[in-house]
Amino acid sequence: MSKQSPSVVVGVDGSEPAAEAARAAALEADRRRLPLRIVRAFHWPSGDLAGLPDTFDACAASRRAADADLERVRHSLADRLPEWAISLELVDGRAETVLPRTVQAGDLLVVGASGLTWGAGNALGSVAEAVVATAPCPVLVHRTLHPLDWRRRGVVVGVDGGPGSAAVLAAAAAEAELRGEPLQVVHAWRQLTEDAAQSMRWRLEPGTSTAAETAAVEPLVAALRRRHPSLEVDTTVVPGRAGRVLVEATQTAALLVVGRRDITAGGPGATVHSVLHRLAIPVLTVPVAAPAAGHTAAATTGALTAPAG
């Protein structure tokens, strides 16, 4: 794909969740002053379909219907973006492979959490999950908030203090500023001994571990505050599994931002999997580089102490 100017790209499939994702993508394009590209994948099975007249070209009819749906989506966004700012693309192939190929690193890709298979609701579909794992750009997995969720406010970002944390923080700060909302930085950590099959005599001293984990993220947050002096930023450092901690931290938030590794570097990981499946709010996943060989994340750095008794 030739290099293009950055844009917001949204994948649609004719479902209501996809239409909602398109409306969210139009809002993001307007916020960023970027054009919007609406992409629909078109996959047709090989061979003839039983029961159709020989003279009926079902593939061509289906393609025309898909084109018409793209036009309907464009018209539905007339109150959000001018027509010249929206382009339509019907691309041959399956959505989970087509969408990652149509974007580049500087784009924002928006997909609905579910689509034709699951319909409306918060269930995460296979296409959204596959796209998050393989797209070269940030992916916003959109979920339409319940009308009673209008009080939700703020952006939460999860960081581990390792390589890529600065990039995730920068993306989260940009999202918070675009929305005019505060940013909550959350760092969760676990001690090495907590997952042991049997109880161990030695353990990490909790107070020392907490201090070390806080020190791992404080410089990153301090640098963020210097770059964004008008942004309200709070930091939370707590022990616990990252996925569970982030789900709890977003009870009143409007957006969660997390980093994710490329599929070639092990994939998004358990934390991204957890939040995508369990949250009922939009989640922005930001690609980060895999840790260099020999690097360990800023976890479990506390001092060893023997338990009393």
Side-chain angles (χ1 to χ4, degrees), residues 154-177:
V155 175
V156 172
V157 56
V159 295
D160 62 5
S165 291
V168 177
L169 283 172
E175 294 300 322
E177 288 188 326

Side-chain angles (χ1 to χ4, degrees), residues 161 187 189 207-221 235-238 298 301:
H187 173 55
W189 59 273
T208 304
S209 294
T210 299
E213 297 297 333
T214 301
V217 297
E218 275 186 340
L220 295 169
V221 176
T235 306
T236 301
V237 178
V238 293
T301 53

Side-chain angles (χ1 to χ4, degrees), residues 30 34-36 74 77-87:
D30 184 54
L34 293 176
L36 175 64
R74 192 215 304 256
L77 303 178
D79 61 334
R80 303 199 175 199
L81 286 175
E83 186 172 336
W84 59 264
I86 304 174
S87 61

Side-chain angles (χ1 to χ4, degrees), residues 221-239:
V221 176
L224 184 74
R225 287 193 173 107
R226 288 193 296 271
R227 290 192 299 269
H228 304 270
S230 62
L231 179 62
E232 179 185 340
V233 182
D234 291 318
T235 306
T236 301
V237 178
V238 293

Side-chain angles (χ1 to χ4, degrees), residues 1 32-33 47 53 68 81 85 94 130 137 163 176 215-216 251 257 280 286 309:
M1 182 176 61
R32 292 162 168 77
R33 299 295 187 264
L81 286 175
R94 294 185 179 276
C137 68
Q251 293 302 305
V257 181
V286 180

